[in-house]
Amino acid sequence: MRYNVVKNASSILDTSDILIKNPENYKGKWKEVFKNNNPICLELGMGRGAFIVQMAKAHPNINYIGLELDRSQTATAISNVKGKIDNLKFICADAKDIVNYFNKEIKTIYLTFSEPWPKKGDEKKRFTHENYLRVYDRVFRKQKHIILKTDNKILFQSALESMSNYWYVFKKVSLDLHNDERNIENYMTDFEKQYYKEHRQIYYVEAVFDE
Ligand SMILES: C[S@@+](CC[C@H](N)C(=O)[O-])C[C@H]1O[C@@H](n2cnc3c(N)ncnc32)[C@H](O)[C@@H]1O
């Protein structure tokens, strides 16, 4: 799938209420942003935001934050939000910096169709590399909870290995999410919608770690 370039991305970002412009100012204070004590879930690499928008609408008593590095993707996600969704915010930033934005405040991290980084030597860039799992330790509340979806078998295998080496336990695993007979809640991301049309196999894992 191609990434779109949004020419007026800067003005969309600058004038958006849903985008938190200085997320470092809210470290440890996100309940002030949402004006409630509800749990907060974070999607890393939300792209155009289809997944997190649907999740926020489906679960009004949970707060959602979509984080995306690319300004055009973030601008598109902002434009895709129709009406006011009080339990949804966006951050335009690099996932590797989330320790600057959160302090033991996150309930669940969603990793949706993250870049697979297949080349040798690029493993450290994967969102489930041990270095990232260490970062997540600092933003999760007591329980660590990761939900990952991907169409990439190599990424999936490496994610399972990495999380398992890090003592995560797998609560739910599916090797074919769209044809799974169990009732796994699923809202499709933008990439996933395309893969669904192509009948591509989607891998899913819900991983937890309790102190
Ligand atoms: C393959 S796309 C998937 C987008 C979306 N999750 C979906 O499934 O439609 C991966 C997204 O992750 C973003 N991304 C890659 N590295 C990132 C990073 N270090 N921090 C934040 N976002 C990142 C990319 O800009 C891209 O939008």
Side-chain angles (χ1 to χ4, degrees):
M1 220 161 100
R2 285 218 186 130
Y3 293 106
N4 55 332
V5 177
V6 177
K7 282 192 186 138
N8 59 339
S10 288
S11 79
I12 295 174
L13 265 58
D14 288 348
T15 55
S16 168
D17 289 340
I18 201 167
L19 183 77
I20 301 296
K21 276 111 189 159
N22 302 104
E24 61 280 1
N25 292 350
Y26 300 99
K27 184 172 177 176
K29 300 180 196 162
W30 284 88
K31 56 184 167 198
E32 290 175 19
V33 173
F34 288 107
K35 301 186 177 62
N36 60 49
N37 285 323
N38 293 341
I40 302 170
C41 300
L42 173 68
E43 183 186 10
L44 299 181
M46 68 163 168
R48 298 174 196 170
F51 171 77
I52 202 90
V53 170
Q54 293 174 89
M55 288 294 279
K57 285 183 181 167
H59 303 285
N61 294 328
I62 300 177
N63 297 318
Y64 290 91
I65 300 174
L67 182 141
E68 169 58 48
L69 179 62
D70 183 88
R71 290 170 67 81
S72 285
Q73 300 299 304
T74 309
T76 307
I78 291 168
S79 306
N80 285 341
V81 177
K82 307 291 175 225
K84 202 168 178 318
I85 310 178
D86 290 332
N87 60 329
L88 178 65
K89 296 290 174 202
F90 294 151
I91 295 174
C92 186
D94 196 318
K96 71 175 169 45
D97 297 327
I98 55 172
V99 285
N100 299 328
Y101 313 144
F102 304 102
N103 181 23
K104 303 269 177 200
E105 295 171 283
I106 299 300
K107 176 181 179 285
T108 302
I109 290 181
Y110 292 98
L111 305 175
T112 54
F113 300 87
S114 314
E115 256 100 25
W117 298 109
K119 282 196 198 142
K120 219 173 154 35
D122 274 348
E123 296 86 353
K124 284 188 178 172
K125 295 178 184 169
R126 292 179 185 155
F127 282 169
T128 44
H129 186 274
E130 188 190 340
N131 292 352
Y132 268 102
L133 298 180
R134 274 207 209 100
V135 167
Y136 304 158
D137 283 353
R138 296 169 62 188
V139 307
F140 273 130
R141 300 186 325 189
K142 207 165 180 210
Q143 191 196 49
K144 308 178 200 179
H145 186 218
I146 296 176
I147 294 183
L148 175 147
K149 301 194 273 184
T150 182
D151 63 312
N152 189 290
K153 194 173 180 179
I154 293 168
L155 178 71
F156 190 64
Q157 284 169 336
S158 98
L160 293 185
E161 193 180 336
S162 177
M163 290 193 287
S164 160
N165 287 339
Y166 211 75
W167 298 103
Y168 276 84
V169 169
F170 303 135
K171 230 173 131 180
K172 222 172 259 175
V173 178
S174 177
L175 302 181
D176 191 0
L177 180 61
H178 294 162
N179 293 304
D180 199 302
E181 286 173 0
R182 291 166 296 172
N183 207 8
I184 302 176
E185 184 191 47
N186 190 41
Y187 293 97
M188 288 200 222
T189 74
D190 289 289
F191 272 68
E192 189 175 0
K193 286 176 197 164
Q194 181 60 38
Y195 299 153
Y196 181 74
K197 281 190 210 152
E198 296 166 8
H199 305 288
R200 253 201 244 185
Q201 193 171 337
I202 301 302
Y203 306 96
Y204 171 99
V205 60
E206 176 180 5
V208 291
F209 179 101
D210 281 302
E211 295 284 345

